[in-house]
């Protein structure tokens, strides 16, 4: 880590003990935090003001999702995109879903992984190869009601992550977590065209880049799986802020709270053995931290109108 990085420390907010907590998102309308436990096929919600925690079972694993303009959610289940409306299932254990489009139906080892709505209300996501050989056959896609499903012209990936967008929406960040590099490419939301990717930041082992987001100043924040931290990258790609998390497998982060000045961080118990779990009993929980002088943006919403 760069020696000038300013450090903060996160504390446990929700002891959810997710196998693979991911895709944590803040809804500013509801003042509620959402996230998925991918392997358990569950959607979680936490309301910090009341302390209420709620979860729903899903018909398949939820890799990523987006808030919608209507108040619904766009769900990226393993093999397709779906709409769901948790407000209509407040007292149910299972969340009903409405199918939209299948994804990579001809590739049985691929499932939807990281995804995020872009600044123009379209959903961008990647597909992960679950085959143990991890060949880079996954792809990045864009989905909208106006254009349907389109494949982005980016290199194939095994474990797609780090999807987020510049403030003006014209730059796309992404990674293949195996590579240890976060990439940036020019991005046109309307045409789904991308420019030549370049390396934005390099992540040293044992960390690997996972979920990412962009703050109000246009700076990229990245969750470092295996290293127990999230970091902010300056524009030249060096780390200038970090938040330490008391468990190693940190997966994603979101700016939250009325002023968007708190950071919530999802984590996982996945890939930790019994001895490691004994030393990290809060693994799989959601953590929270405040970083002085840093604020986020309201999450972009999928245009389902």
């Amino acid at each position: 880590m760069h020696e000038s990085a300013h450090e903060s420390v996160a504390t446990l907010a929700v002891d959810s003990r997710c196998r693979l907590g991911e895709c944590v998102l803040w809804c500013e309308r509801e003042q509620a935090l959402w996230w998925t436990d991918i392997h358990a096929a569950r959607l979680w919600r936490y309301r910090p003001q009341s302390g209420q925690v709620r979860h729903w079972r899903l018909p398949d694993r939820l890799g990523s999702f987006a808030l919608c303009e209507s108040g619904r959610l766009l769900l990226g289940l393993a093999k397709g995109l779906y709409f769901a409306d948790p407000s209509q299932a407040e007292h149910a254990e299972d969340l009903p879903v409405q199918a939209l489009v299948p994804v990579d139906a001809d590739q049985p080892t691929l499932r939807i992984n990281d995804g995020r709505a872009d600044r123009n209300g379209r959903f961008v996501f990647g597909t992960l190869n679950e085959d143990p050989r991890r060949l880079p056959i996954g792809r990045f896609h864009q989905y909208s009601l106006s254009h349907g499903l389109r494949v982005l012209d980016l290199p194939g990936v095994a474990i797609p992550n780090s999807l987020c967008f510049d403030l003006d929406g014209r730059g796309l960040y992404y990674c293949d977590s195996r590579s240890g590099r976060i990439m940036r490419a020019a991005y046109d939301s309307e045409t789904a065209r991308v420019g030549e990717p370049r390396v934005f930041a390099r992540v040293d082992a044992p960390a690997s880049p996972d979920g990412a987001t962009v703050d109000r100043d246009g700076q990229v924040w990245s969750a470092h799986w295996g290293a127990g931290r999230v970091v902010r990258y300056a524009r030249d790609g060096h780390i200038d802020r970090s938040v330490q998390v008391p468990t190693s497998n940190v997966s994603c982060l979101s700016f939250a709270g009325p002023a968007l000045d708190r950071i919530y961080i999802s984590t996982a118990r996945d890939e930790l053995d019994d001895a490691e779990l004994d030393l990290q009993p809060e693994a799989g929980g959601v953590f929270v931290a405040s970083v002085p002088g840093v604020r986020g943006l309201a999450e972009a919403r999928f245009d389902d109108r």
Side-chain angles (χ1 to χ4, degrees), residues 63-290:
S64 56
F65 60 97
L67 309 172
C68 294
E69 291 289 358
S70 69
R72 296 183 293 185
L73 298 177
L74 175 68
L75 305 181
L77 299 184
K79 299 299 292 184
L81 299 177
Y82 298 76
F83 280 138
D85 188 349
S87 71
Q88 301 300 310
E90 195 63 43
H91 303 293
E93 293 186 4
D94 297 295
L95 183 62
V97 299
Q98 172 192 343
L100 292 171
V101 61
V103 175
D104 286 339
D106 60 336
Q107 296 282 355
T109 67
L110 294 184
R111 70 158 174 85
I112 292 176
N113 198 53
D114 193 33
R116 186 177 294 272
D118 71 18
R119 305 289 181 205
N120 293 294
R122 300 178 174 100
F123 188 58
V124 177
F125 65 95
T127 50
L128 177 151
N129 186 8
E130 295 190 296
D131 186 285
R133 293 171 295 173
R134 295 292 194 198
L135 298 176
I137 62 171
R139 299 177 291 182
F140 288 99
H141 305 256
Q142 183 209 74
Y143 177 73
S144 64
L145 296 184
S146 56
H147 296 288
L149 193 65
R150 301 189 284 191
V151 177
L152 301 186
D153 186 18
L154 291 170
V157 289
I159 307 176
N161 271 310
S162 299
L163 281 168
C164 57
F165 301 89
D166 284 342
L167 296 181
D168 62 6
R170 296 178 182 175
L172 162 71
Y173 296 92
Y174 73 93
C175 79
D176 184 334
S177 289
R178 299 184 317 152
S179 73
R181 299 178 302 169
I182 299 174
M183 310 297 290
R184 184 190 180 280
Y187 170 70
D188 186 311
S189 176
E190 178 61 31
T191 63
R193 291 177 180 167
V194 292
E196 185 70 22
R198 65 171 178 82
V199 177
F200 168 70
R202 299 182 186 275
V203 182
D204 296 329
S208 60
D210 204 319
T213 193
V214 171
D215 67 20
R216 187 165 297 187
D217 296 320
Q219 310 284 59
V220 176
W221 288 77
S222 170
H224 281 187
W225 179 276
R229 69 183 184 223
V230 300
V231 303
R232 185 178 77 176
Y233 289 102
R235 297 189 189 280
D236 65 0
H238 84 263
I239 294 171
D240 71 351
R241 296 287 186 109
S242 72
V243 177
Q244 300 300 310
V245 183
T247 185
S248 58
N249 290 346
V250 176
S251 58
C252 196
L253 71 151
S254 180
F255 286 93
L260 297 171
D261 59 354
R262 310 198 84 194
I263 299 175
Y264 281 91
I265 302 162
S266 57
T267 69
R269 300 173 71 82
D270 198 34
E271 299 183 6
L272 297 177
D273 61 28
D274 289 344
E276 289 169 320
L277 287 171
D278 285 343
L279 294 173
Q280 303 177 40
E282 298 172 336
V286 173
F287 294 79
V288 63
S290 295

Side-chain angles (χ1 to χ4, degrees), residues 31-53:
Q31 292 291 293
L33 192 75
W34 296 88
W35 71 98
T36 172
D37 184 346
I38 295 177
H39 290 332
R42 288 184 184 272
L43 174 70
W44 286 75
R45 185 189 68 201
Y46 168 55
R47 300 188 189 277
Q49 188 171 16
S50 66
Q52 182 198 54
V53 179

